[in-house]
Amino acid sequence: MQGRSKKILIVEDEARLAEVLSDMLSDQGYTITVARDGEQGLAAAIEQKPDLILLDILLPKKEGLDMLAQLREHADGERTKVMVLSNLSDTASVNKAMQHGAFDFYVKSNWDIDALVEEIKAKLS
């Protein structure tokens, strides 16, 4: 399997979406951790040093962009690959995510989950 031993952290408060992403990526051989809020996500990212983070913006306890900014302050988190998955599509959110080093920004209503999985596989290969 292509994703063997690669770790992905999903920071998503929508339980069903987190479950679907986790199942699809696990089936590809990735090791998956799910965090349900920004505080859990930041702690998991620092502790586990994932190869990729799928990050929602609107999260309880700590918003995704705040989590991303704090992650970038840690030596282990400054180069972590981050893909933002959000319902927000305003220019300010996209720009802020990119300023903090996210390499892709997907608006949830506009993407196909199978295409997203293919994009993740390409980014981690």
Side-chain angles (χ1 to χ4, degrees):
M1 285 187 195
Q2 194 169 7
R4 190 171 312 278
S5 81
K6 297 281 186 174
K7 298 183 287 187
I8 299 175
L9 171 61
I10 300 170
V11 186
E12 173 61 62
D13 62 329
E14 292 179 40
R16 182 69 186 129
L17 178 57
E19 181 182 333
V20 168
L21 285 169
S22 178
D23 289 348
M24 290 185 80
L25 293 167
S26 291
D27 288 347
Q28 295 296 318
Y30 297 105
T31 301
I32 306 299
T33 300
V34 176
R36 302 301 300 275
D37 63 55
E39 287 181 1
Q40 288 178 355
L42 182 60
I46 291 168
E47 178 183 318
Q48 298 179 13
K49 301 171 185 59
D51 298 291
L52 175 70
I53 298 174
L54 300 179
L55 179 63
D56 189 9
I57 290 179
L58 297 176
L59 294 167
K61 298 187 181 178
K62 183 185 300 288
E63 288 198 358
L65 294 178
D66 293 335
M67 185 204 118
L68 180 55
Q70 290 178 352
L71 176 66
R72 295 303 189 212
E73 293 173 4
H74 288 269
D76 291 332
E78 62 187 0
R79 287 188 217 100
T80 303
K81 293 179 183 176
V82 177
M83 295 174 76
V84 174
L85 309 176
S86 181
N87 287 319
L88 299 178
S89 60
D90 61 282
T91 304
S93 296
V94 174
N95 287 341
K96 190 171 181 183
M98 296 304 173
Q99 287 170 357
H100 288 300
F103 66 84
D104 271 322
F105 191 106
Y106 291 88
V107 178
K108 291 178 185 176
S109 61
N110 295 343
W111 52 266
D112 172 87
I113 197 159
D114 293 319
L116 177 68
V117 170
E118 290 304 311
E119 182 71 18
I120 290 167
K121 287 167 54 177
K123 296 290 186 196
L124 291 178
S125 63

